[in-house]
């Protein structure tokens, strides 16, 4: 049975009292306030949670003294920051206390906020009146490669059907370092990258706008407390280091990537933009949707062998809306639970060499493809590298065209309520001349 | 002829008036001051330049109103920051003005500081009384692969003598994203990483302390003003985006790297630590040592074709001191001018897809190997993957052993003066149990 808030929450809403995802916003009406540089605070950006079609401004709630639990009473400053990093670093006891305080404060029975018109008007803002920002300062962004179906399909397309999955894949969660500077919030336009593509025959390499622009359906974990350099995180306590999940589009230029990636991996084929959904859905909110992760064979090495191997049942969709079309087409229905490696294994592997994670770091899952043709997480797989174009209402696609708008959604279905992620979207603009 | 300062500068010093490299320090005597998190200022860390065996505290000079040029007069706050990022973002006109102000202030003829005992005592601190810190907040760290000799040797070792250099190498400066969180300042111990190595035959992969721990002799460019997402930097103006250079040791675990790097590139084999020298030597100080870069054949694509192709004559050395030995052995003598791709080409390539650079970003050159056997920049090459052990006084090395201390130096020889980089060093500690 669904919990009841005094704020109206429609039955299809992603953001009922059971969810309470965290984000950072600023008022749309505030103008002329520049973004600070080099760590200067922006007075106008602050943490919030989503409830129905509203954001609850946590800086107002904190300033009103309503975080009165044992941890946050003396640490409410975490909600007066321009990003969530301080709160992220405080760990699960603080997160659980904040969740319980906010859940109570917004519940139908609790008068504190419900009956205080002035505080309500100051703290509850319609979503259309605010602009969502990146929820955290992301020090480092790592992208994994944890879907076996994606690994198999890419290997088959690029290297042929014999042994498409590299030998190391089943022994460790493969990953690469991504580019943090070009991570943008949902709704930011993506400029088609220019770059080099593979030469044909003896001619020089192709140079120009990417001709194989793609999306990658991913989710990403946001790191909570970090670890010190030289101190690996144990796989069985790794969950304490993960705050929650967002949707992520790891935009990829397949022609640039194909030419550049040997021997040091993807670089400019990825670094022109990566889009995040604004709401971090906490692992606590996702707990009712926890399920077993797929069985792993061969059995992982001891540092990756966990007592409980947990995944989450999170249905995911990809929608494409070509320029000028009224409606979007669904091209992918996938699920987080298709991933082979778990979030906790990713953390344990990432730190086994002593590498330090910091609060706000981002760990992408890799493209989330499932076993079925309609569950593939990128056009490279959906169109088999352009060989089988995809029909979208009136048009067809091998890869993305200028004006295409790509939207990811993800939503867990509970008993009478949703725990949703909202949307992660971006529109392709033409390359510079 | 050498310039003369009222501060004593020995003839072998790396830091005469011609150099004036920038760093960030804190007083050693200040105790109990924790590091701030999430952008909070540390009152105790501040910018400085090196002169002889002293650091000149730029926050004191700025507060005394001695930056009186047209730009810095109203922007001296850049020297009251805990990092150089704000100053880096201001660009070359500000950098040139600061250099000229500081050079005059420290010169033998100028009484302002020379004859003000109280200001001198406050601003000029013996190097042994201060601790050097990372000079900038590094948002993103990229590592290139710009030495042809290194590319050829690695290719031969890993893939054999036929076509050891990948086809793309001559068309673009290959690079990968590195890990920013684990970049440390010279003098920080490096803990031997644990991880997976390649399986032998049908057994499971190796797991344990890396058995092929290596150094990589590199330099790195520190980015000044950045560029907006979607706006590439032209190769002919790219120098405006580079503040200066540091020495860098890109520690590498060859066994971990060999097993993990297909298909997404180096990850845990590199991310356990990267050491920087504390002093950023500016391109302005390096200008007398500019030279032509090697001729490039095939001719690069237009976006990489520059009017003037500039390198620098910077002799570099690698010293190894095993635990318990009194003296170190020089194992490498190389030079920055062995690099094939230029710094400006690296910037142009990095941004051609629209990727944004930010002030303080770090661009590593890749291992700087020259053509001669004694000019190879890592043990992988020097010992040919352990097949030809190296003699160090009383001991031999295939790869690094616990207790080994590795020190890089770099020093340009002028007419009666040096422009040096100081040292970049780190000692190997045993892996955790
Ligand atoms: Ca990806
Ligand atoms: Ca390197
Ligand atoms: Mg990306
Ligand atoms: Mg490194
Ligand atoms: Ni700080």
């Amino acid at each position: 049975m669904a919990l009841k808030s005094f704020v109206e929450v429609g039955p299809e809403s992603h953001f009922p009292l059971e969810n309470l995802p965290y984000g950072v916003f600023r008022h749309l009406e505030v103008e002329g306030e520049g973004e600070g540089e080099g760590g200067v605070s922006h007075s106008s950006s602050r943490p919030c949670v989503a409830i129905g079609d509203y954001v609850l401004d946590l800086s107002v709630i904190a300033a009103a003294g309503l975080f009165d639990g044992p941890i946050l009473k003396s640490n409410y400053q975490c909600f007066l920051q321009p990003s969530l990093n301080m709160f992220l670093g405080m760990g699960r006891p603080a997160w659980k206390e904040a969740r319980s305080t906010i859940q109570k404060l917004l519940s139908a029975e609790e008068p504190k906020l419900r009956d205080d018109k002035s505080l309500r008007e100051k703290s509850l803002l319609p979503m259309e009146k605010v602009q969502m920002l990146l929820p955290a300062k992301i020090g480092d962004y790592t992208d994994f490669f944890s879907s076996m179906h994606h690994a198999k399909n890419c290997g088959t397309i690029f290297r042929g059907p014999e042994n498409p999955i590299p030998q190391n894949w089943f022994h460790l969660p493969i990953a690469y370092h991504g580019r943090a500077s070009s991570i943008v919030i949902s709704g930011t336009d993506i400029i088609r990258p220019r770059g080099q593509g593979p030469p044909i025959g003896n001619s020089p390499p192709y140079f120009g706008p990417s001709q194989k622009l793609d999306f990658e359906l991913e989710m990403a974990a946001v790191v909570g407390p970090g670890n010190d350099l030289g101190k690996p995180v144990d796989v069985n306590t790794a969950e304490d280091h993960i705050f929650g999940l967002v949707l992520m589009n790891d935009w990829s230029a397949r022609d640039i990537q194909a030419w550049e990636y040997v021997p040091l991996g993807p670089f400019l084929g990825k670094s022109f933009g990566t889009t995040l959904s604004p709401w971090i859905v906490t692992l606590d909110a996702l707990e009712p949707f926890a399920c077993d992760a797929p069985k792993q064979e061969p059995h992982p090495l001891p540092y990756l062998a966990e007592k409980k191997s947990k995944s989450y049942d999170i249905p995911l969709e990809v929608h494409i809306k070509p320029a000028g079309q009224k409606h979007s087409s669904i091209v992918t229905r996938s699920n987080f639970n298709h991933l082979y490696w778990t979030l906790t294994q990713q953390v344990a592997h990432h730190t086994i060499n002593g590498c330090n994670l910091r609060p706000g770091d981002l760990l992408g899952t890799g493209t989330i493809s499932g076993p079925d043709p309609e569950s593939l997480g990128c056009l490279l797989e959906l169109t088999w590298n352009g060989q089988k174009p995809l029909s979208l209402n009136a048009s067809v696609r091998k890869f993305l065209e200028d004006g295409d708008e790509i939207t990811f959604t993800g939503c867990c279905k509970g008993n009478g309520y949703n725990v949703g992620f909202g949307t992660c979207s971006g529109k392709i603009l033409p390359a510079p001349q």
Side-chain angles (χ1 to χ4, degrees), chain A residues 141 176 249-252 270-275:
Chain A
Y141 151 43
Y176 66 99
N249 187 341
D250 180 26
W251 304 96
S252 299
K270 303 279 191 176
S271 63
F272 56 93
T274 304
T275 305

Side-chain angles (χ1 to χ4, degrees), chain A residues 15-265:
Chain A
F15 308 126
L17 217 41
E18 287 84 351
N19 192 350
L20 300 178
Y22 287 82
V24 165
F25 77 101
R26 64 177 158 207
H27 291 266
L28 267 182
E29 49 267 58
V30 178
E31 301 239 324
E33 242 173 309
E35 291 217 21
E37 281 206 22
V40 177
S41 296
H42 319 220
S43 60
S44 61
S45 73
R46 54 194 65 167
C48 61
V49 296
I51 178 76
D53 296 329
Y54 289 81
V55 306
L56 177 70
D57 183 338
L58 297 180
S59 74
V60 173
I61 299 302
L66 296 177
F67 283 106
D68 52 4
I71 299 171
L72 290 166
K73 195 175 192 156
S74 49
N75 289 287
Y76 64 89
Q77 294 85 352
C78 62
F79 296 124
L80 307 179
Q81 307 296 318
S83 75
L84 285 166
N85 294 65
M86 187 183 290
F87 181 56
L88 296 175
M90 289 167 64
R92 186 144 283 119
W95 306 339
K96 282 196 180 288
E97 185 181 306
R99 177 172 172 81
S100 126
T101 299
I102 298 166
Q103 216 164 40
K104 180 158 181 235
L105 199 63
L106 289 171
S107 73
E109 302 78 37
E110 168 64 38
K112 253 189 232 169
L113 181 57
R114 184 192 70 195
D115 298 347
D116 185 336
K117 181 157 183 275
S118 151
L119 188 62
R120 235 169 45 226
E121 285 179 355
K122 265 171 48 187
S123 64
L124 278 167
L125 309 162
M127 282 188 179
E128 71 268 18
K129 289 262 175 86
V130 306
Q131 179 190 13
M132 297 306 296
L133 306 169
L134 286 178
K137 285 192 194 166
I138 299 163
D140 279 288
Y141 151 43
T142 301
D143 199 15
F144 284 86
F145 186 50
S146 290
S147 153
M148 187 175 60
H149 310 289
H150 177 65
K152 185 175 178 184
N153 291 329
C154 293
T156 306
I157 289 169
F158 286 126
R159 291 181 298 276
E162 275 178 46
N163 302 316
I165 303 182
Q167 192 198 355
N168 55 3
W169 195 91
F170 288 99
H171 295 280
L172 54 87
I174 293 178
Y176 66 99
H177 302 295
R179 178 83 193 173
S181 71
S182 52
I183 296 174
V184 297
I185 195 69
S186 178
T188 307
D189 291 333
I190 296 294
I191 298 170
R192 180 182 296 273
R194 291 181 303 169
Q196 296 190 28
I200 294 166
N202 285 323
S203 58
Y206 169 81
F207 178 78
S210 169
Q211 299 178 318
K212 292 190 171 183
L213 186 55
D214 202 354
F215 61 82
E216 288 194 328
L217 171 64
E218 304 199 21
M219 298 191 77
V222 178
V223 171
N227 61 300
D228 290 336
L229 194 56
K231 305 274 188 201
V233 174
D234 186 279
V235 71
N236 290 308
T237 59
E239 198 173 294
D240 295 342
H241 295 266
I242 304 171
F243 179 65
L245 295 177
V246 294
L247 302 170
M248 182 170 102
N249 187 341
D250 180 26
W251 304 96
S252 299
R254 301 303 181 187
D255 40 0
I256 297 174
Q257 184 183 351
W259 174 232
E260 74 178 356
Y261 89 106
V262 173
L264 299 183

